[in-house]
Amino acid sequence: ELILRPTPVGWIYAGRTRPQEEVALDAIEESAIEVVADGRVIETMDRTRACREAYPGAVLLHQGVTYVVKALDLEQQRAEVERKDVDFHTQVITREEMRLLETREQRYLNPGITLSLGRLEVTASYTGYRVKKYDQLISPPPLNLPPVKFPPVGIWLVFSGDWSYTWTKDYR
């Protein structure tokens, strides 16, 4: 079934449900991890989001209900969760590295400032997580997840030349 239809003025959405139910804008990846509670799939998420939110030990909030992740199997595309009321939350520790693959365009904005557009490679490593209770750190357990790589298009500024400025303020 087509969800877009041509009209004399362009294409329009023609789906039977709301567009956000048909097309997930936050899912960059094709593979989906099923989040399973008591043998029932309660949610799906892409691999990157699963590494950020559904790692073993994570507290996951789904439709106002708290779950604790028991296991994450990236190969089987499955996260096992258990419904549990807890008085703490978790926060993943991420290290991201970026590498320039190709510069496609450059524009010189002012003397000493260049705007560039190109392909990048971002590698996100999830090295551990924080267990917090009312913003107080309880423990930082380690994680052993494979890094996630994705190839975005990025823009960046390059500053060259003498950029030494002195900041002064008159307090009279």
Side-chain angles (χ1 to χ4, degrees):
E1 177 183 346
L2 293 175
I3 60 171
L4 293 178
R5 300 220 187 271
T7 69
V9 293
W11 291 82
I12 62 164
Y13 173 72
R16 297 176 192 263
T17 61
R18 298 181 308 171
Q20 61 267 35
E21 293 174 4
E22 295 287 332
V23 180
L25 296 178
D26 62 346
I28 304 170
E29 304 164 31
E30 291 182 20
S31 65
I33 305 294
E34 292 182 337
V35 179
V36 180
D38 297 323
R40 186 176 59 90
V41 176
I42 61 168
E43 184 176 349
T44 60
M45 54 181 67
D46 65 40
R47 180 184 176 101
T48 303
R49 182 172 165 222
C51 288
R52 274 193 328 258
E53 298 179 18
Y55 48 87
V59 174
L60 183 66
L61 188 63
H62 175 74
Q63 295 184 348
V65 178
T66 307
Y67 295 88
V68 175
V69 180
K70 296 189 302 187
L72 172 62
D73 188 334
L74 295 172
E75 288 183 17
Q76 296 296 317
Q77 300 180 333
R78 185 178 175 99
E80 290 283 338
V81 299
E82 175 182 30
R83 186 176 178 165
K84 198 172 200 180
D85 289 326
V86 295
D87 63 350
F88 60 90
H89 67 279
T90 55
Q91 181 181 45
V92 73
I93 299 169
T94 308
R95 190 182 88 234
E96 292 183 347
E97 296 175 3
M98 191 169 21
R99 188 168 65 102
L100 174 62
L101 298 177
E102 171 191 20
T103 301
R104 290 186 179 168
E105 289 186 42
Q106 288 187 320
R107 298 250 165 81
Y108 300 98
L109 303 178
N110 285 325
I113 303 176
T114 305
L115 175 67
S116 299
L117 171 90
R119 288 186 323 110
L120 307 170
E121 178 184 72
V122 176
T123 303
S125 298
Y126 305 98
T127 59
Y129 64 98
R130 296 175 186 94
V131 178
K132 290 183 160 186
K133 183 175 182 176
Y134 306 111
D135 288 333
Q136 181 180 5
L137 183 63
I138 297 172
S139 68
L143 275 178
N144 187 21
L145 295 174
V148 176
K149 293 185 179 192
F150 49 98
V153 172
I155 59 170
W156 61 94
L157 292 170
V158 176
F159 298 93
S160 59
D162 182 19
W163 284 91
S164 59
Y165 289 102
T166 304
W167 177 267
T168 60
K169 181 154 176 100
D170 187 358
Y171 290 100
R172 284 189 265 170

